[in-house]
Amino acid sequence: MLFTIKRPRSERFFQLGFKGFRPGGRNKIEYAINVISAFFTFLYKYFFKRIVVAVSLFGKAFPFIKKIFTNFKAFVVRKLIWSRGRLGRPIATFVVMTVAFFVFIFGEVLNSSKFVNSQEISPDYLSNVSDIIPERNVALTTIPENRKRDVAITYTVLGGDTLSGIGSKFRISTDALKYVNNLSDTDYLKPGQQITIPPVAGLIHKVSSGDTLQSIATKYDVPAQAIADFNYILDTSKIAVGTELVIPGAKVPAPVIIPVVAAQYAISPVVDTSPSNGWCGWPTTVRIITQYFSWYHNGVDIATPAGYLPPIFACAGGTVIRAGWDPWGLGLHVRIQHPNGYVTIYGHMSRLLVQYGEKVGKGEQIGVMGSTGHSTGPHVHFMVEYKGVPQNPLDYIR
């Protein structure tokens, strides 16, 4: 006996087929090709519809945009006409500021562009032309020798400067620098110090009371007419006091030397034990003092003209307690102990004529002036000490 089973009618609604959405194909390759083709077909249709919609919207909006631009143009024209050109400057300012703003913001982006940076010149080009210098040079101005200065200048001393170095720099003799600036061989230049550089043509002379053109010419060994011509002096009989004259070709005046002959000293073993003025005599035959006693200079420097080395005498009688080399700068020197408790020192000598323990009298020669030790020229560094304390020698010299 056969039975027939019937399915419920509602079951047919749940077994719908989706074969219409599936691409066909006899194998997997054909199936993949159909899938890709269907994908691009639907993608094309989608973008095509979107482009059609966009063009349609632009076509509808174009009249509105055109109307806005036309109205804006008419507004600007009306403003320009009404303002009669007064809007020109604000508009130009706005345009310039806008361009400057964009250059400031985006200029770095264009920095590497060839429109901004020019291409580097090829080294081969530089080697084949004569109008370009292919290396860095510094332009220097050189004053010809025939263009001499005719006025004095003020120079500020730098660290390491010396009189000889400054003289070489400005082609001025050291003697001229010392004379114009009232300097001596023992003076030291300090950074920041200002000194006067005389003209290459000569020295500077400040007219003082009693000076005449002839006396000035005689002092510097130059013709009076040369001084008058160089300084444009029309009336040579009148020279104002305080006027600074350039003396062309001037020679540095020789210092006034008051010679003291050794014969004036009567050598005597007798010693004046009174520490008053006059117990100590002048220690040499020249009287050119280049540096006086001060808190930073413990003696008196007595110099000599070039080419002459005068004798050195004991200023008073006493006993030589040292005769030899001083490692602290005095060079060859002599120390004499005097009975009154004072000690005199004579430094920078070139030759010693006494020895340790020898007794000497006032005016007796003990050596020859020189420039040994720390010295810038022939002179004697003369000192007077009492109980180890330096004294001013001029207080005890007659």
PDB file of all heavy atoms in Angstrom, residues 330-351:
ATOM      1  N   LEU A 330     117.130  94.597  36.726  1.00  0.00           N
ATOM      2  CA  LEU A 330     118.102  95.694  36.763  1.00  0.00           C
ATOM      3  C   LEU A 330     119.372  95.386  35.986  1.00  0.00           C
ATOM      4  O   LEU A 330     120.175  96.287  35.749  1.00  0.00           O
ATOM      5  CB  LEU A 330     118.469  96.021  38.217  1.00  0.00           C
ATOM      6  CG  LEU A 330     117.394  96.750  39.037  1.00  0.00           C
ATOM      7  CD1 LEU A 330     117.866  96.972  40.471  1.00  0.00           C
ATOM      8  CD2 LEU A 330     117.034  98.085  38.387  1.00  0.00           C
ATOM      9  N   GLY A 331     119.576  94.139  35.573  1.00  0.00           N
ATOM     10  CA  GLY A 331     120.785  93.798  34.837  1.00  0.00           C
ATOM     11  C   GLY A 331     122.023  93.989  35.696  1.00  0.00           C
ATOM     12  O   GLY A 331     122.027  93.680  36.900  1.00  0.00           O
ATOM     13  N   LEU A 332     123.102  94.480  35.108  1.00  0.00           N
ATOM     14  CA  LEU A 332     124.310  94.774  35.879  1.00  0.00           C
ATOM     15  C   LEU A 332     124.038  95.975  36.770  1.00  0.00           C
ATOM     16  O   LEU A 332     123.680  97.061  36.294  1.00  0.00           O
ATOM     17  CB  LEU A 332     125.484  95.068  34.940  1.00  0.00           C
ATOM     18  CG  LEU A 332     126.043  93.873  34.154  1.00  0.00           C
ATOM     19  CD1 LEU A 332     127.144  94.329  33.204  1.00  0.00           C
ATOM     20  CD2 LEU A 332     126.571  92.804  35.103  1.00  0.00           C
ATOM     21  N   HIS A 333     124.219  95.800  38.077  1.00  0.00           N
ATOM     22  CA  HIS A 333     123.893  96.883  38.995  1.00  0.00           C
ATOM     23  C   HIS A 333     124.827  96.852  40.207  1.00  0.00           C
ATOM     24  O   HIS A 333     125.519  95.852  40.458  1.00  0.00           O
ATOM     25  CB  HIS A 333     122.444  96.778  39.461  1.00  0.00           C
ATOM     26  CG  HIS A 333     122.224  95.700  40.468  1.00  0.00           C
ATOM     27  ND1 HIS A 333     122.417  94.352  40.196  1.00  0.00           N
ATOM     28  CD2 HIS A 333     121.838  95.766  41.781  1.00  0.00           C
ATOM     29  CE1 HIS A 333     122.145  93.640  41.279  1.00  0.00           C
ATOM     30  NE2 HIS A 333     121.801  94.473  42.256  1.00  0.00           N
ATOM     31  N   VAL A 334     124.812  97.948  40.943  1.00  0.00           N
ATOM     32  CA  VAL A 334     125.637  98.095  42.153  1.00  0.00           C
ATOM     33  C   VAL A 334     124.747  98.618  43.265  1.00  0.00           C
ATOM     34  O   VAL A 334     123.940  99.541  43.049  1.00  0.00           O
ATOM     35  CB  VAL A 334     126.820  99.059  41.904  1.00  0.00           C
ATOM     36  CG1 VAL A 334     127.553  99.347  43.215  1.00  0.00           C
ATOM     37  CG2 VAL A 334     127.780  98.467  40.884  1.00  0.00           C
ATOM     38  N   ARG A 335     124.928  98.020  44.467  1.00  0.00           N
ATOM     39  CA  ARG A 335     124.251  98.506  45.670  1.00  0.00           C
ATOM     40  C   ARG A 335     125.314  99.005  46.655  1.00  0.00           C
ATOM     41  O   ARG A 335     126.296  98.297  46.914  1.00  0.00           O
ATOM     42  CB  ARG A 335     123.434  97.395  46.336  1.00  0.00           C
ATOM     43  CG  ARG A 335     122.125  97.060  45.636  1.00  0.00           C
ATOM     44  CD  ARG A 335     121.462  95.859  46.301  1.00  0.00           C
ATOM     45  NE  ARG A 335     120.134  95.663  45.761  1.00  0.00           N
ATOM     46  CZ  ARG A 335     119.012  96.098  46.296  1.00  0.00           C
ATOM     47  NH1 ARG A 335     119.075  96.790  47.445  1.00  0.00           N
ATOM     48  NH2 ARG A 335     117.838  95.891  45.741  1.00  0.00           N
ATOM     49  N   ILE A 336     125.085 100.184  47.186  1.00  0.00           N
ATOM     50  CA  ILE A 336     126.038 100.783  48.138  1.00  0.00           C
ATOM     51  C   ILE A 336     125.300 101.069  49.449  1.00  0.00           C
ATOM     52  O   ILE A 336     124.259 101.738  49.448  1.00  0.00           O
ATOM     53  CB  ILE A 336     126.660 102.072  47.577  1.00  0.00           C
ATOM     54  CG1 ILE A 336     127.415 101.776  46.272  1.00  0.00           C
ATOM     55  CG2 ILE A 336     127.589 102.709  48.597  1.00  0.00           C
ATOM     56  CD1 ILE A 336     127.998 103.012  45.614  1.00  0.00           C
ATOM     57  N   GLN A 337     125.857 100.541  50.547  1.00  0.00           N
ATOM     58  CA  GLN A 337     125.319 100.811  51.873  1.00  0.00           C
ATOM     59  C   GLN A 337     126.037 102.020  52.450  1.00  0.00           C
ATOM     60  O   GLN A 337     127.262 102.055  52.528  1.00  0.00           O
ATOM     61  CB  GLN A 337     125.543  99.598  52.782  1.00  0.00           C
ATOM     62  CG  GLN A 337     125.110  99.806  54.224  1.00  0.00           C
ATOM     63  CD  GLN A 337     123.599  99.848  54.385  1.00  0.00           C
ATOM     64  OE1 GLN A 337     122.920  98.904  53.999  1.00  0.00           O
ATOM     65  NE2 GLN A 337     123.091 100.937  54.934  1.00  0.00           N
ATOM     66  N   HIS A 338     125.253 103.037  52.866  1.00  0.00           N
ATOM     67  CA  HIS A 338     125.830 104.254  53.416  1.00  0.00           C
ATOM     68  C   HIS A 338     125.687 104.251  54.943  1.00  0.00           C
ATOM     69  O   HIS A 338     124.733 103.679  55.492  1.00  0.00           O
ATOM     70  CB  HIS A 338     125.140 105.478  52.808  1.00  0.00           C
ATOM     71  CG  HIS A 338     125.199 105.505  51.310  1.00  0.00           C
ATOM     72  ND1 HIS A 338     126.326 105.854  50.615  1.00  0.00           N
ATOM     73  CD2 HIS A 338     124.256 105.183  50.374  1.00  0.00           C
ATOM     74  CE1 HIS A 338     126.086 105.776  49.322  1.00  0.00           C
ATOM     75  NE2 HIS A 338     124.828 105.365  49.150  1.00  0.00           N
ATOM     76  N   PRO A 339     126.613 104.894  55.624  1.00  0.00           N
ATOM     77  CA  PRO A 339     126.594 104.881  57.095  1.00  0.00           C
ATOM     78  C   PRO A 339     125.342 105.484  57.711  1.00  0.00           C
ATOM     79  O   PRO A 339     125.021 105.204  58.865  1.00  0.00           O
ATOM     80  CB  PRO A 339     127.843 105.686  57.467  1.00  0.00           C
ATOM     81  CG  PRO A 339     128.735 105.570  56.293  1.00  0.00           C
ATOM     82  CD  PRO A 339     127.838 105.530  55.104  1.00  0.00           C
ATOM     83  N   ASN A 340     124.626 106.320  56.976  1.00  0.00           N
ATOM     84  CA  ASN A 340     123.432 106.942  57.532  1.00  0.00           C
ATOM     85  C   ASN A 340     122.199 106.037  57.463  1.00  0.00           C
ATOM     86  O   ASN A 340     121.078 106.471  57.727  1.00  0.00           O
ATOM     87  CB  ASN A 340     123.135 108.271  56.828  1.00  0.00           C
ATOM     88  CG  ASN A 340     122.963 108.091  55.318  1.00  0.00           C
ATOM     89  OD1 ASN A 340     122.947 106.976  54.803  1.00  0.00           O
ATOM     90  ND2 ASN A 340     122.868 109.212  54.615  1.00  0.00           N
ATOM     91  N   GLY A 341     122.407 104.770  57.045  1.00  0.00           N
ATOM     92  CA  GLY A 341     121.292 103.828  56.984  1.00  0.00           C
ATOM     93  C   GLY A 341     120.631 103.742  55.624  1.00  0.00           C
ATOM     94  O   GLY A 341     119.743 102.903  55.412  1.00  0.00           O
ATOM     95  N   TYR A 342     121.028 104.566  54.691  1.00  0.00           N
ATOM     96  CA  TYR A 342     120.445 104.563  53.353  1.00  0.00           C
ATOM     97  C   TYR A 342     121.235 103.629  52.432  1.00  0.00           C
ATOM     98  O   TYR A 342     122.435 103.385  52.643  1.00  0.00           O
ATOM     99  CB  TYR A 342     120.425 105.978  52.764  1.00  0.00           C
ATOM    100  CG  TYR A 342     119.316 106.842  53.345  1.00  0.00           C
ATOM    101  CD1 TYR A 342     119.455 107.405  54.611  1.00  0.00           C
ATOM    102  CD2 TYR A 342     118.156 107.082  52.641  1.00  0.00           C
ATOM    103  CE1 TYR A 342     118.459 108.193  55.155  1.00  0.00           C
ATOM    104  CE2 TYR A 342     117.149 107.873  53.166  1.00  0.00           C
ATOM    105  CZ  TYR A 342     117.294 108.422  54.427  1.00  0.00           C
ATOM    106  OH  TYR A 342     116.298 109.193  54.964  1.00  0.00           O
ATOM    107  N   VAL A 343     120.567 103.133  51.422  1.00  0.00           N
ATOM    108  CA  VAL A 343     121.181 102.300  50.392  1.00  0.00           C
ATOM    109  C   VAL A 343     120.849 102.914  49.046  1.00  0.00           C
ATOM    110  O   VAL A 343     119.685 103.267  48.775  1.00  0.00           O
ATOM    111  CB  VAL A 343     120.664 100.845  50.446  1.00  0.00           C
ATOM    112  CG1 VAL A 343     121.238 100.022  49.301  1.00  0.00           C
ATOM    113  CG2 VAL A 343     121.009 100.202  51.783  1.00  0.00           C
ATOM    114  N   THR A 344     121.849 103.047  48.188  1.00  0.00           N
ATOM    115  CA  THR A 344     121.613 103.540  46.825  1.00  0.00           C
ATOM    116  C   THR A 344     121.869 102.408  45.841  1.00  0.00           C
ATOM    117  O   THR A 344     122.785 101.594  46.031  1.00  0.00           O
ATOM    118  CB  THR A 344     122.519 104.736  46.495  1.00  0.00           C
ATOM    119  OG1 THR A 344     123.888 104.384  46.731  1.00  0.00           O
ATOM    120  CG2 THR A 344     122.158 105.937  47.366  1.00  0.00           C
ATOM    121  N   ILE A 345     121.071 102.354  44.777  1.00  0.00           N
ATOM    122  CA  ILE A 345     121.158 101.296  43.755  1.00  0.00           C
ATOM    123  C   ILE A 345     121.305 101.952  42.402  1.00  0.00           C
ATOM    124  O   ILE A 345     120.616 102.948  42.088  1.00  0.00           O
ATOM    125  CB  ILE A 345     119.905 100.395  43.779  1.00  0.00           C
ATOM    126  CG1 ILE A 345     119.734  99.742  45.160  1.00  0.00           C
ATOM    127  CG2 ILE A 345     120.005  99.322  42.713  1.00  0.00           C
ATOM    128  CD1 ILE A 345     118.741 100.436  46.040  1.00  0.00           C
ATOM    129  N   TYR A 346     122.155 101.373  41.573  1.00  0.00           N
ATOM    130  CA  TYR A 346     122.443 101.882  40.223  1.00  0.00           C
ATOM    131  C   TYR A 346     122.267 100.710  39.257  1.00  0.00           C
ATOM    132  O   TYR A 346     123.065  99.766  39.262  1.00  0.00           O
ATOM    133  CB  TYR A 346     123.862 102.446  40.140  1.00  0.00           C
ATOM    134  CG  TYR A 346     124.230 103.337  41.317  1.00  0.00           C
ATOM    135  CD1 TYR A 346     124.617 102.783  42.549  1.00  0.00           C
ATOM    136  CD2 TYR A 346     124.188 104.715  41.210  1.00  0.00           C
ATOM    137  CE1 TYR A 346     124.945 103.587  43.634  1.00  0.00           C
ATOM    138  CE2 TYR A 346     124.524 105.539  42.295  1.00  0.00           C
ATOM    139  CZ  TYR A 346     124.890 104.962  43.502  1.00  0.00           C
ATOM    140  OH  TYR A 346     125.214 105.755  44.585  1.00  0.00           O
ATOM    141  N   GLY A 347     121.222 100.766  38.414  1.00  0.00           N
ATOM    142  CA  GLY A 347     120.920  99.626  37.556  1.00  0.00           C
ATOM    143  C   GLY A 347     121.172  99.860  36.089  1.00  0.00           C
ATOM    144  O   GLY A 347     121.388 100.994  35.630  1.00  0.00           O
ATOM    145  N   HIS A 348     121.148  98.736  35.317  1.00  0.00           N
ATOM    146  CA  HIS A 348     121.258  98.712  33.848  1.00  0.00           C
ATOM    147  C   HIS A 348     122.635  99.127  33.341  1.00  0.00           C
ATOM    148  O   HIS A 348     122.762  99.594  32.195  1.00  0.00           O
ATOM    149  CB  HIS A 348     120.189  99.592  33.192  1.00  0.00           C
ATOM    150  CG  HIS A 348     118.787  99.296  33.626  1.00  0.00           C
ATOM    151  ND1 HIS A 348     118.211  98.057  33.491  1.00  0.00           N
ATOM    152  CD2 HIS A 348     117.842 100.091  34.228  1.00  0.00           C
ATOM    153  CE1 HIS A 348     116.975  98.090  33.956  1.00  0.00           C
ATOM    154  NE2 HIS A 348     116.725  99.316  34.428  1.00  0.00           N
ATOM    155  N   MET A 349     123.668  98.989  34.140  1.00  0.00           N
ATOM    156  CA  MET A 349     124.997  99.410  33.701  1.00  0.00           C
ATOM    157  C   MET A 349     125.569  98.427  32.681  1.00  0.00           C
ATOM    158  O   MET A 349     125.237  97.235  32.676  1.00  0.00           O
ATOM    159  CB  MET A 349     125.927  99.539  34.901  1.00  0.00           C
ATOM    160  CG  MET A 349     125.609 100.745  35.775  1.00  0.00           C
ATOM    161  SD  MET A 349     126.909 101.141  36.955  1.00  0.00           S
ATOM    162  CE  MET A 349     126.663  99.840  38.156  1.00  0.00           C
ATOM    163  N   SER A 350     126.457  98.934  31.841  1.00  0.00           N
ATOM    164  CA  SER A 350     127.107  98.085  30.843  1.00  0.00           C
ATOM    165  C   SER A 350     128.423  97.501  31.356  1.00  0.00           C
ATOM    166  O   SER A 350     128.916  96.496  30.840  1.00  0.00           O
ATOM    167  CB  SER A 350     127.370  98.891  29.564  1.00  0.00           C
ATOM    168  OG  SER A 350     128.231  99.987  29.824  1.00  0.00           O
ATOM    169  N   ARG A 351     129.018  98.156  32.395  1.00  0.00           N
ATOM    170  CA  ARG A 351     130.292  97.683  32.946  1.00  0.00           C
ATOM    171  C   ARG A 351     130.390  98.076  34.410  1.00  0.00           C
ATOM    172  O   ARG A 351     129.981  99.177  34.791  1.00  0.00           O
ATOM    173  CB  ARG A 351     131.469  98.274  32.156  1.00  0.00           C
ATOM    174  CG  ARG A 351     132.824  97.700  32.538  1.00  0.00           C
ATOM    175  CD  ARG A 351     133.838  97.971  31.438  1.00  0.00           C
ATOM    176  NE  ARG A 351     133.854  99.362  31.021  1.00  0.00           N
ATOM    177  CZ  ARG A 351     134.967 100.112  31.016  1.00  0.00           C
ATOM    178  NH1 ARG A 351     136.135  99.610  31.396  1.00  0.00           N
ATOM    179  NH2 ARG A 351     134.927 101.358  30.592  1.00  0.00           N
TER     180      ARG A 351
END
